[in-house]
Amino acid sequence: MNLAAATNENLANISNTLIYSSMAVYTLAFFAHIAEWVFGSRSKVGRTAAALTGSATDGSTVKVQVAQKGGSTAVLERPKVVTRSAAGTRDVPDGPGAAGGTFKGDLWGRIAVSLTVVAFAVQAGGVVARALSVQRAPWGNMYEFSITFSTVAVGAYLILLALRKNVRWIGLLLVTTVLLDLGIATTTLYTDSDQLVPALHSYWLWIHVSTAIICGAVFYLGAVGTLLYLFRDSYENKIANGGTPGKFASSVLERLPAAKTLDTFSYRINAAVFPLWTFTIIAGAIWAGDAWGRYWGWDPKEVWSFITWVAYAAYLHARATAGWKGRKAAYLALVAFGCWLFNYYGVNIFVTGKHSYAGV
């Protein structure tokens, strides 16, 4: 074994160590997020704050009793909130977040985010080490694509936090998904460092696949928002119709952003990245022309990429149409993300084609 080969093998081992180390830190972040939700459910502070700033469903003034020192109580009038919502929508304030408006819950939430930042840095180091070990872009097979995908997803989440967006409610689901992704990658999808097949030796690998990874990561965040929107919307509907949600639903769902907020978040996320997905497909067609002498050949990966594009285009069109706002559009958004997932896992593993680079 020459020096170069030994160096590459050492870098591959370092990459594996860093990926496993990131999984350990993500696990700690997972438990910290669990603590955030648990301790956040033990106080009425967040609920009281929401009650004092919210509006009654019938527009009337509601009185709230607040305990004072000395055993006496003060009666506060909950002010009527003037809103400018569209006809038929509910004027519901956002929940206090996973921390429930409590100091202890917020502390655990901050610890969870800090651990997520550390895990992200370690995982990113593992991706870079993998790239150095093979001396190419680190997404030549499903293992490399998976570890890069989850890295980008966490990076997008942290960027939103850095921009002071209210997205910490994604944290628990994100960390859980990342652990599942890395678990599958390191056990089922793992492939030793190796060079690319001839068709992939192109600068388009950096352009086409990197944009596909970014799109998938952002689509994932949009899908999380859409899924939680459906739960929160059902919760709000039940309350509006006089129902009484269960204790678990009340404890969890009342702390999420309002359904309208979640719906808007998902729409903006998907709309923002859709043009990049369009570019991804165009870049892939150009690369196919260079590599195989044709821009389109009805390869399974090409077909499902286009199906995914059509699904998201239909969602965005439906979302902009009054009759398809809300739950109908949300279901279509989840179908679109399901197409993306099948395009990645299903086509790569179960379908044979020119894009069969799974390595498993």
Side-chain angles (χ1 to χ4, degrees):
M1 181 180 296
N2 57 37
L3 181 60
T7 300
N8 292 340
E9 183 177 354
N10 289 334
L11 287 171
N13 292 333
I14 291 173
S15 173
N16 295 338
T17 300
L18 290 174
I19 295 298
Y20 281 110
S21 299
S22 71
M23 293 176 67
V25 183
Y26 278 127
T27 301
L28 295 177
F30 169 81
F31 286 115
H33 274 300
I34 290 292
E36 177 187 18
W37 282 94
V38 169
F39 287 112
S41 67
R42 294 183 178 180
S43 173
K44 298 288 186 179
V45 174
R47 302 171 202 174
T48 302
L52 291 174
T53 58
S55 60
T57 56
D58 59 358
S60 61
T61 300
V62 179
K63 294 182 178 180
V64 182
Q65 288 189 339
V66 180
Q68 290 183 323
K69 292 182 179 179
S72 62
T73 60
V75 179
L76 302 179
E77 289 189 353
R78 185 166 63 189
K80 180 180 178 180
V81 179
V82 178
T83 60
R84 294 183 176 85
S85 297
T89 60
R90 297 180 299 267
D91 299 325
V92 180
D94 290 348
T102 67
F103 173 79
K104 183 173 287 188
D106 183 66
L107 176 62
W108 279 107
R110 292 177 182 274
I111 292 173
V113 171
S114 299
L115 289 170
T116 302
V117 171
V118 173
F120 166 76
V122 175
Q123 185 183 5
V127 173
V128 172
R130 178 77 175 197
L132 294 175
S133 70
V134 292
Q135 299 181 5
R136 57 169 172 78
W139 40 74
N141 50 58
M142 285 190 69
Y143 168 73
E144 296 172 356
F145 190 101
S146 294
I147 62 175
T148 306
F149 166 79
S150 54
T151 303
V152 175
V154 176
Y157 165 69
L158 295 178
I159 289 174
L160 290 175
L161 285 178
L163 295 175
R164 299 187 181 278
K165 302 297 182 180
N166 177 24
V167 295
R168 207 165 79 186
W169 44 270
I170 298 178
L172 179 58
L173 282 175
L174 174 65
V175 170
T176 303
T177 306
V178 169
L179 284 171
L180 290 174
D181 173 74
L182 293 179
I184 294 173
T186 55
T187 55
T188 305
L189 303 179
Y190 181 78
T191 305
D192 290 329
S193 300
D194 200 0
Q195 293 304 310
L196 297 173
V197 296
L200 295 181
H201 282 287
S202 171
Y203 61 87
W204 282 106
L205 176 67
W206 290 92
I207 301 172
H208 172 64
V209 183
S210 63
T211 55
I213 292 173
I214 293 172
C215 289
V218 179
F219 281 148
Y220 163 77
L221 296 180
V224 171
T226 301
L227 185 64
L228 292 179
Y229 156 75
L230 291 172
F231 284 109
R232 172 77 187 203
D233 184 64
S234 297
Y235 170 79
E236 291 179 8
N237 277 333
K238 191 168 188 177
I239 293 178
N241 293 327
T244 303
K247 292 183 178 180
F248 178 79
S250 297
S251 176
V252 174
L253 296 178
E254 73 177 3
R255 287 182 276 165
L256 290 175
K260 182 179 179 182
T261 302
L262 291 169
D263 184 39
T264 301
F265 168 81
S266 302
Y267 171 68
R268 289 177 177 175
I269 284 287
N270 289 325
V273 79
F274 180 73
L276 187 61
W277 181 248
T278 303
F279 170 78
T280 300
I281 295 177
I282 295 174
I286 296 174
W287 188 8
D290 291 342
W292 301 316
R294 89 293 186 279
Y295 296 103
W296 186 266
W298 299 102
D299 184 75
K301 177 71 70 172
E302 297 170 351
V303 171
W304 275 97
S305 294
F306 180 68
I307 291 174
T308 302
W309 184 91
V310 171
Y312 272 108
Y315 159 72
L316 293 175
H317 175 73
R319 181 60 178 75
T321 303
W324 276 83
K325 288 183 179 179
R327 299 184 70 87
K328 291 182 179 180
Y331 291 136
L332 189 52
L334 291 181
V335 169
F337 185 68
C339 292
W340 189 92
L341 284 179
F342 181 78
N343 187 31
Y344 174 49
Y345 286 104
V347 173
N348 282 353
I349 296 176
F350 302 112
V351 181
T352 301
K354 288 183 174 294
H355 290 80
S356 299
Y357 305 128
V360 296

